[in-house]
Amino acid sequence: MRPRVGIIGNSYLLNDNYPVHAGGTMSSEAIAEVSDCLPLMIPADPRFVSVEELLHNCDGFLLTGGRPNVHPNEYGETETEAHGAFDRARDAITLPLVRACVERGQPFLGICRGFQEVNVAMGGSLYPEIRDLPGRMNHRMPPDGTIEEKFALRHVVSFPKEGVFAQLFGADQVMTNTLHGQGIKEPGHRIVIEGTAPDGTPEAIYVKDAPGFTLAVQWHPEYQAPTDPVSRPLFEAFGAAVHAWATTR
């Protein structure tokens, strides 16, 4: 039996009136085909699941991207129009889930919003719109175009030569896509920022001295993960950590 990876779902309105929990097929593909784990979609809402149940039933977690943002109340700031839409139910699940995984050594991989959740869970804060900051580029997804154009490689991410990510990728620079509006303002307790974009925006982090796999990236490595030379080693390493955790249960 393959180890089980809980994929954090997002709340949407299908056809503008039918509420659903959903996740991208490419996330399931990355977990099943590259990490060699069983992908399980999680309805991230405390009405339906608890953190304790998730920790018991899953071996690892994929903290996915999503259009709604972490609510600024979670990092001590006041909501503004620039902060965009929110998913308070997801906040209520993922933030304590991250902290529990860090303590237990249970592996997770954070992507985009998931990257931001890891920082906030550890006490960090976020900028509501980094393209409005002096000297920053627009990291948002292009509003038009094909899926290939929206997920196209758009900028370099640089890493310290002896760091965790450089060792993982076998390089101190990689090209990535970029589809996010918010970004790290203040890093959380024990958050190590290793990857940065050319404009200084944090792109890759992990939790210092955590007993398990805690890597998170601001880009979307799930896109073409089975064949992409950057995405594949990231999901392979995550899968190895999940398999290792499962053998200890």
Side-chain angles (χ1 to χ4, degrees):
M1 297 289 289
R2 290 177 294 171
R4 295 161 292 187
V5 170
I7 299 177
I8 300 299
N10 286 296
S11 297
Y12 293 99
L13 286 177
L14 190 63
N15 297 324
D16 295 325
N17 59 10
Y18 184 75
V20 299
H21 280 107
T25 301
M26 62 181 73
S27 293
S28 297
E29 179 183 50
I31 293 301
E33 297 186 9
V34 185
S35 300
D36 190 28
C37 297
L38 178 67
L40 299 177
M41 184 60 59
I42 303 298
D45 189 321
R47 296 176 298 167
F48 311 129
V49 299
S50 70
V51 170
E52 292 74 17
E53 289 172 319
L54 295 178
L55 293 169
H56 177 76
N57 286 286
C58 298
D59 299 297
F61 298 93
L62 183 65
L63 306 168
T64 60
R67 188 171 298 277
N69 295 311
V70 179
H71 198 284
N73 284 355
E74 299 290 350
Y75 46 93
E77 296 187 12
T78 303
E79 173 186 341
T80 69
E81 185 175 347
H83 285 96
F86 306 112
D87 185 345
R88 297 298 273 140
R90 173 166 169 162
D91 293 346
I93 290 294
T94 54
L95 300 181
L97 179 64
V98 166
R99 290 188 285 266
C101 285
V102 168
E103 181 178 349
R104 290 160 57 92
Q106 198 157 347
F108 62 75
L109 172 61
I111 291 174
C112 200
R113 176 190 158 117
F115 167 95
Q116 296 162 11
E117 286 171 333
V118 174
N119 187 57
V120 172
M122 301 304 291
S125 62
L126 304 172
Y127 286 114
E129 187 64 74
I130 55 176
R131 65 181 173 182
D132 292 340
L133 300 174
R136 299 293 184 96
M137 62 183 285
N138 182 5
H139 289 256
R140 283 193 172 274
M141 177 179 70
D144 302 306
T146 64
I147 191 74
E148 292 81 9
E149 291 168 333
K150 291 181 177 182
F151 281 85
L153 304 180
R154 288 172 56 198
H155 67 65
V156 167
V157 175
S158 301
F159 313 102
K161 291 184 182 294
E162 303 302 323
V164 172
F165 286 91
Q167 293 182 43
L168 177 63
F169 297 132
D172 60 3
Q173 285 191 338
V174 298
M175 284 292 295
T176 71
N177 54 42
T178 183
L179 298 91
H180 63 101
Q182 299 196 325
I184 289 180
K185 181 179 182 181
E186 293 292 336
H189 178 58
R190 296 167 56 195
I191 291 293
V192 177
I193 298 174
E194 277 208 349
T196 55
D199 63 357
T201 297
E203 294 280 343
I205 61 174
Y206 67 90
V207 181
K208 184 179 180 180
D209 297 328
F213 187 102
T214 61
L215 274 58
V217 298
Q218 184 65 90
W219 69 89
H220 281 264
E222 73 274 27
Y223 179 65
Q224 295 184 340
T227 57
D228 184 82
V230 174
S231 300
R232 187 171 185 89
L234 182 60
F235 277 98
E236 286 177 338
F238 175 59
V242 175
H243 277 260
W245 173 268
T247 64
T248 69
R249 297 181 72 95

